[in-house]
Every structure is written in structure tokens, then in C-alpha cells.
Amino acid sequence: MATNRPLAWALGYLESRKNLAGSACGLVGLGLTLAGVAGAYWPVVIAGLYGVGALVAPPERAPVPVFPGTAERLGVVREDLGRLRDYVAEVELPPAAGGKLGEVLDLYAALLEPGWVTEALATEPDAVHALSRAIRLDVPECVDTYNRTRWWTRLTPGGESPERHLERQLSVLFEEAERLTAGLQDREARRQQTHTTYLEERGRS
């Protein structure tokens, strides 16, 4: 790879603004030479004009960084959900918590299902962030904490059970996902109402 760097630099310079501007000025010097103006110093004139053109050429513009769009981010979140499902499938959970976890994951899957819901979600970066955080951090942390706490509870029983804590945590996450869904529905309803109002006003005019 290192041996290609000089070649890549040379090819890049050939396409650069400095080379193009210098070459244009060099052609002017060649024209002066053919016209007999440069005389015996024509190499100096051509080289000098090339150098002047290269110096006055505008600097190269740094390429604008390309960031993944929301659609691409949702694709990654969808893959993360698949990995989360694989993880929790290997964990033994009590029936109540397992049922609630299934509801949470099913709601996440419905939000990420390609279609109009995903299209609406893609216009809400905060909602995408919240969903991603829940899948990548909140749910795994709930399940992992339950496993670790359950082990310690066997040694020192007492207090509220880890199962109950897990159920409460998953209920909170489910409610958050429901609020996110309701927010998307409300925005779509307002969008429809706005379009209806526009059509009605256009019809009256």
C-alpha cells in the first residue's frame, strides 16, 4: 500500500486546481513563445507562468464528510434488535417478565418494520435515538442486572424480588415505546389534517 502513495499523490495533483491553473498559464507562455515574444528565455517564461498559476489557484476544497442517513441508522438498529432477541433467548426469565419482555420486543419490531411507520420514524431523530438506546442499552442492562441480582439474592434473600424489579423496568420501557408510537401517530394525524385544510382552502380559492 505504501508504494502506491506517491503514484496516488501524483495522480491527485494532476487533477488538482493548482496543476490546472498552472497548465493554463503555461499554455499562455507557450503562446508567447510561438509568437516570438519570449525569445531565448522561453523555458523560464513557461515555467514561471506555470508557477504563478499554481500559486494563485484557489485551495482545494476538503471533501464534505458523508454521514449515515436515518434510513441507514434504522437498518443498523433493526440488526441490533435481532442480536438482542438472540441474547434474551438464551436467558431464563420468569413467565411474567418473559411475557412483558416479549411485548416490548414485539413493539420495537413493529416500529422498525419497513413501511409507513419506519418512514415516519425516520423523520424523528430523537425517537430513533430513544429506540436505539432502549435496544442497545436499556433492555440488555435490565436482563443482565436481573441475572446478577438473582444470584446474590440466593445468598442473601430478602427485600423486593429481582423478578419484580425486572417486571417494573420492562413495564416502564413498554410505556415509553407506547408513548413514542402515539407521538408518531399524532404527527401523522396532524399531517393529514394539514393536507386536508390545504385542499379545502385551495378548493375555495
Side-chain angles (χ1 to χ4, degrees):
M1 296 295 292
T3 56
N4 291 332
R5 289 178 181 174
L7 178 60
W9 180 89
L11 292 175
Y13 181 77
L14 288 176
E15 299 176 352
S16 68
R17 296 182 180 184
K18 288 184 176 296
N19 182 57
L20 295 176
S23 298
C25 292
L27 289 175
V28 174
L30 180 60
L32 294 175
T33 299
L34 295 176
V37 177
Y41 298 100
W42 65 268
V44 178
V45 173
I46 294 176
L49 288 174
Y50 177 90
V52 170
L55 286 175
V56 301
E60 295 293 326
R61 294 174 58 185
V64 178
V66 178
F67 298 103
T70 307
E72 288 78 7
R73 289 176 56 195
L74 285 174
V76 174
V77 177
R78 194 176 296 114
E79 294 175 358
D80 291 338
L81 177 61
R83 285 189 285 269
L84 177 60
R85 284 189 181 277
D86 293 340
Y87 163 65
V88 298
E90 302 296 327
V91 180
E92 182 180 351
L93 297 175
K100 179 58 67 175
L101 178 59
E103 293 178 4
V104 171
L105 298 183
D106 287 344
L107 185 51
Y108 292 163
L111 287 168
L112 292 169
E113 184 70 23
W116 74 264
V117 176
T118 306
E119 293 173 1
L121 183 63
T123 64
E124 300 293 334
D126 290 341
V128 174
H129 173 73
L131 185 59
S132 174
R133 180 189 60 198
I135 292 173
R136 295 175 178 175
L137 179 63
D138 294 337
V139 173
E141 182 68 17
C142 290
V143 175
D144 183 62
T145 301
Y146 163 75
N147 278 326
R148 289 185 284 110
T149 306
R150 181 179 59 170
W151 186 85
W152 284 106
T153 303
R154 291 173 180 172
L155 301 179
T156 56
E160 190 169 11
S161 68
E163 291 81 3
R164 179 56 183 156
H165 275 292
L166 179 60
E167 291 175 27
R168 289 168 56 188
Q169 293 165 0
L170 293 174
S171 295
V172 171
L173 292 175
F174 184 78
E175 291 170 0
E176 287 182 351
E178 282 189 318
R179 287 195 295 271
L180 191 154
T181 304
L184 292 176
Q185 290 174 333
D186 289 343
R187 280 185 283 274
E188 287 299 303
R190 289 196 299 270
R191 178 182 176 184
Q192 185 183 37
Q193 180 59 48
T194 299
H195 190 61
T196 300
T197 302
Y198 161 74
L199 291 176
E200 290 174 345
E201 292 177 351
R202 190 180 70 179
R204 287 193 293 268
S205 62

